[in-house]
Amino acid sequence: MKREIREDYRSDILKQGEAKISSRSLMKGAGLTEEQIYRPFIGVVNSYSNFFPGHSNLDKIGAAVRDGILMGGGTPVEFQTIGICDGIVMGTQGMRYSLPSRELIADSVETMAQSHVCDALVLVCSCDKIIPGMIMGALRLDLPFIVVTGGPMLAGNYKGKRVDVQDIAECAGQVLAGTLDEEVYKAYEDEVCPGCGSCQGMFTANSMACMTEVLGISLPGTGTVPAVNARRYHMAKDAGILAVELAQYDVVPSSFIKRESFLNAIKMDMLLGCSTNTALHLPALAHELDIEITLDDFDALSRTTPHWVKLSPSGKHLMQDLDAAGGVSAVIKQAIGAGILSGGVKTIHSKKHKPGAEEITPKTLAEVVANAEILDDSVIHPVADPYSAEGGLMVLKGNIAPLGAVIKVAGVDPAMWEHEGPARVFDSEHKAFLALLMGKIRPGDVMVIRYEGPRGGPGMPEMLMLTALLCGRGLDKDVALVTDGRFSGLSRGGVIGHVAPEAALGGPIALVHEGDRMRLSVSERKIEVLVSDDELDERRKEWTPPAPNATSGWLARYAKLVGPVSGGAVL
């Protein structure tokens, strides 16, 4: 399949002809020259913020992108989106806005790119909901685009020990549990985040950045090159140049991103042991292209895909180690060679037949990573020596999760693979947190937290403070946690989230009673309450939907519009 250079651009509607004299006048008022006006318009979507490290370098990354666009012969058209730092708002009402913000970000990209008629987009982003939100907007428009992330943060240093945000999260749990001296905690607080970049392990931000590489919508290294490395600016400039080419040849995502591309991404998810939140975001991205991806796909592929890379919070390595070991490209190449990934899927990258050619041929994923190599097999395990024969994420089913639930099995101690105990039932995260804080949870218990899904929460808040306290009390190997809410990529232990259908929709998790026996079996991929079907049917007759937690504002509208978590919680 070859692509021919286009003769006109989408943006011509804003600037061509006598009828657009006022439009051109306004552009000139902003400083654009006649030549700039008639070049292709490349939208630079940026979520820069000076408030948190994942976004604090995006102003400089955006400037490098603009340089690249100018170098490539385009005109940058820059606009902003919102961005929430989950780590800062964790445990507050702000956490309920995090997942819904993904939809606002997608809508803002659609709104601005449509209104100002961009010919292509460069998505300058970082962190959890922002990366998928921007991509959703670009896919919805079927507009040429490339993703540029800010990169992961380097490790901190505490008395010669390498530390990351996982350490501070669990320190907080230890302080709340009264098992860590405040002076030590304060020292960790000062050292864990040494500068800009997304959190250092395979948490959601970095998981989604890695997904962009395997989907073929970013440059190699996007997922792993540290934020402070000069390569970030080289990549940003190269992305700006490439964005102009994408506009010139009209490389729209629907022309190369197919279902097979998303199946590759799910397999990469398993190979890397990514965050459970990818099970929310990949289906949502696919939805924008009318491609169906469900938890059943994650379930099927996790059974046949090994686990090769184990980063924090599941292991000792960080993103900087994966980068030094060859990066995502090296994992992709090994996986293609092993017959796990399809190397024939197309990407935004291309082969030019000659300089200034009138046509190009898209590169396959295999061609993009052809020169990659594994430089450290202690970080990227060889095919013959996986951490496990099955993927780092796993889908569980059972009578309380007929549509599935998700567990990051890479972060579960083997002692928790089989667990049975009494249900401790809470209708909110806050009530569960107070019970744990007051010492009311005992080894062997199964905490059931419900009405925290996309509709019930609303917003499906992450529960890092809860899981950190669980670890801080030393209960992560003795207590299971089951919820229709979700967890931060930093969470580890026997925690099962995304239970579907959620309680607010009448899912069976709403029927669990205090003291019911609960059973978790990772080996059988099962989570269930040990109550007969007849008894559950009787309980269902007595169940009534609770009053909504949000009755005004954006969250109330979100709760009415949001779809099931098993389909990506899209509106």
Side-chain angles (χ1 to χ4, degrees):
M1 178 180 64
K2 295 180 179 179
R3 302 185 191 279
E4 296 182 352
I5 195 165
R6 65 188 305 165
E7 296 181 357
D8 57 3
Y9 291 96
R10 293 174 177 84
S11 61
D12 287 349
I13 194 172
L14 288 184
K15 54 199 178 188
Q16 295 284 3
E18 294 178 356
K20 293 303 175 183
I21 184 173
S22 60
S23 298
R24 294 193 296 272
S25 178
L26 288 165
M27 294 178 204
K28 290 178 179 178
L32 270 64
T33 65
E34 188 90 4
E35 181 183 356
Q36 286 179 303
I37 290 172
Y38 286 104
R39 290 178 175 184
F41 286 175
I42 311 299
V44 182
V45 192
N46 199 320
S47 53
Y48 163 75
S49 171
N50 69 338
F51 190 59
F52 50 102
H55 286 59
S56 63
N57 65 329
L58 294 189
D59 56 340
K60 300 178 183 66
I61 297 294
V65 167
R66 294 196 305 272
D67 288 344
I69 293 170
L70 293 171
M71 292 160 63
T75 296
V77 177
E78 190 165 19
F79 57 93
Q80 306 294 313
T81 70
I82 59 172
I84 293 173
C85 177
D86 291 359
I88 291 177
V89 305
M90 193 70 64
T92 72
Q93 181 69 7
M95 192 66 242
R96 300 193 182 279
Y97 285 90
S98 179
L99 181 58
S101 76
R102 186 187 71 179
E103 312 307 315
L104 295 178
I105 292 166
D107 289 350
S108 68
V109 171
E110 175 189 357
T111 300
M112 291 297 290
Q114 282 284 70
S115 299
H116 291 280
V117 198
C118 297
D119 298 300
L121 298 173
V122 183
L123 310 179
V124 183
C125 48
S126 186
C127 296
D128 191 343
K129 311 311 166 305
I130 297 92
I131 296 175
M134 285 195 189
I135 297 172
M136 286 168 65
L139 292 176
R140 184 180 304 167
L141 297 173
D142 203 20
L143 198 62
F145 76 95
I146 182 171
V147 177
V148 176
T149 65
M153 186 189 298
L154 292 177
N157 185 299
Y158 174 66
K159 293 186 176 181
K161 173 189 174 185
R162 202 169 70 159
V163 290
D164 70 308
V165 293
Q166 174 68 21
D167 296 292
I168 197 67
E170 296 190 2
C171 278
Q174 293 169 28
V175 168
L176 289 169
T179 59
L180 185 69
D181 183 78
E182 188 173 347
E183 184 177 343
V184 176
Y185 170 74
K186 182 70 168 106
Y188 264 68
E189 178 181 321
D190 292 340
E191 299 296 335
V192 158
C193 295
C196 64
S198 52
C199 298
Q200 301 104 320
M202 191 55 79
F203 315 131
T204 310
N206 295 325
S207 296
M208 290 308 300
C210 292
M211 293 298 101
T212 68
E213 289 198 48
V214 73
L215 285 170
I217 55 176
S218 66
L219 293 172
T222 295
T224 60
V225 172
V228 296
N229 194 305
R231 282 189 291 161
R232 275 284 152 198
Y233 299 103
H234 304 161
M235 291 164 59
K237 292 175 183 178
D238 288 341
I241 295 170
L242 179 54
V244 179
E245 182 179 287
L246 296 176
Q248 290 171 338
Y249 292 96
D250 201 25
V251 183
V252 297
S254 64
S255 68
F256 68 93
I257 301 180
K258 307 298 181 184
R259 177 172 164 79
E260 191 173 18
S261 305
F262 284 105
L263 298 183
N264 267 356
I266 295 173
K267 292 174 188 176
M268 180 58 65
D269 191 322
M270 303 301 166
L271 291 165
L272 298 177
C274 292
S275 165
T276 54
N277 285 311
T278 55
L280 268 178
H281 299 321
L282 288 177
L285 299 187
H287 175 79
E288 299 293 348
L289 291 175
D290 292 324
I291 297 171
E292 185 178 26
I293 295 293
T294 69
L295 283 182
D296 288 338
D297 293 308
F298 282 81
D299 183 34
L301 295 176
S302 71
R303 296 172 185 268
T304 58
T305 308
H307 180 208
W308 290 345
V309 178
K310 202 166 192 176
L311 305 187
S312 177
S314 304
K316 63 180 181 179
H317 295 125
L318 302 177
M319 295 303 295
Q320 65 193 70
D321 301 314
L322 178 56
D323 186 61
V328 174
S329 290
V331 181
I332 292 173
K333 184 176 180 180
Q334 178 169 279
I336 291 173
I340 296 170
L341 296 185
S342 170
V345 296
K346 299 295 192 294
T347 70
I348 57 171
H349 308 285
S350 62
K351 296 177 284 188
K352 282 187 177 179
H353 300 290
K354 59 182 179 180
E358 291 298 311
E359 59 182 30
I360 58 172
T361 301
K363 280 187 178 181
T364 64
L365 186 63
E367 290 171 326
V368 172
V369 302
N371 296 325
E373 57 180 314
I374 293 175
L375 303 175
D376 186 346
D377 63 9
S378 71
V379 178
I380 304 172
H381 276 209
V383 175
D385 182 31
Y387 283 102
S388 63
E390 297 184 350
L393 287 188
M394 188 177 288
V395 176
L396 310 179
K397 290 191 175 181
N399 60 358
I400 67 163
L403 296 181
V406 182
I407 184 171
K408 187 172 182 175
V409 70
V412 181
D413 189 277
M416 283 296 298
W417 276 44
E418 307 294 329
H419 183 86
E420 183 178 321
R424 306 300 310 281
V425 181
F426 306 94
D427 286 348
S428 73
E429 176 194 6
H430 181 66
K431 292 177 181 177
F433 182 81
L434 291 178
L436 186 58
L437 189 64
M438 295 168 67
K440 295 183 178 181
I441 303 300
R442 301 283 184 261
D445 286 350
V446 178
M447 299 179 73
V448 178
I449 305 172
R450 59 198 182 190
Y451 301 109
E452 291 288 15
R455 178 170 295 187
M460 205 179 184
E462 291 180 348
M463 301 184 183
L464 178 59
M465 288 185 65
L466 187 65
T467 58
L469 182 56
L470 202 63
C471 291
R473 287 196 176 277
L475 295 172
D476 52 303
K477 298 178 183 178
D478 302 296
V479 173
L481 196 164
V482 184
T483 180
D484 55 7
R486 63 191 179 93
F487 302 106
S488 165
L490 280 77
S491 295
R492 61 182 178 88
V495 293
I496 301 101
H498 301 217
V499 168
E502 63 171 292
L505 294 175
I509 191 173
L511 309 178
V512 179
H513 285 182
E514 180 80 12
D516 285 347
R517 299 294 293 180
M518 300 282 294
R519 176 174 174 262
L520 161 66
S521 175
V522 172
S523 60
E524 296 179 25
R525 296 172 176 255
K526 184 168 285 189
I527 179 69
E528 59 184 348
V529 59
L530 302 180
V531 172
S532 69
D533 291 343
D534 289 343
E535 172 63 20
L536 290 178
D537 288 341
E538 287 300 313
R539 293 180 184 181
R540 181 171 297 283
K541 294 175 184 177
E542 300 175 2
W543 178 81
T544 55
N549 287 328
T551 57
S552 62
W554 156 234
L555 286 184
R557 284 187 282 126
Y558 176 83
K560 292 177 181 178
L561 296 171
V562 69
V565 65
S566 53
V570 296
L571 298 188

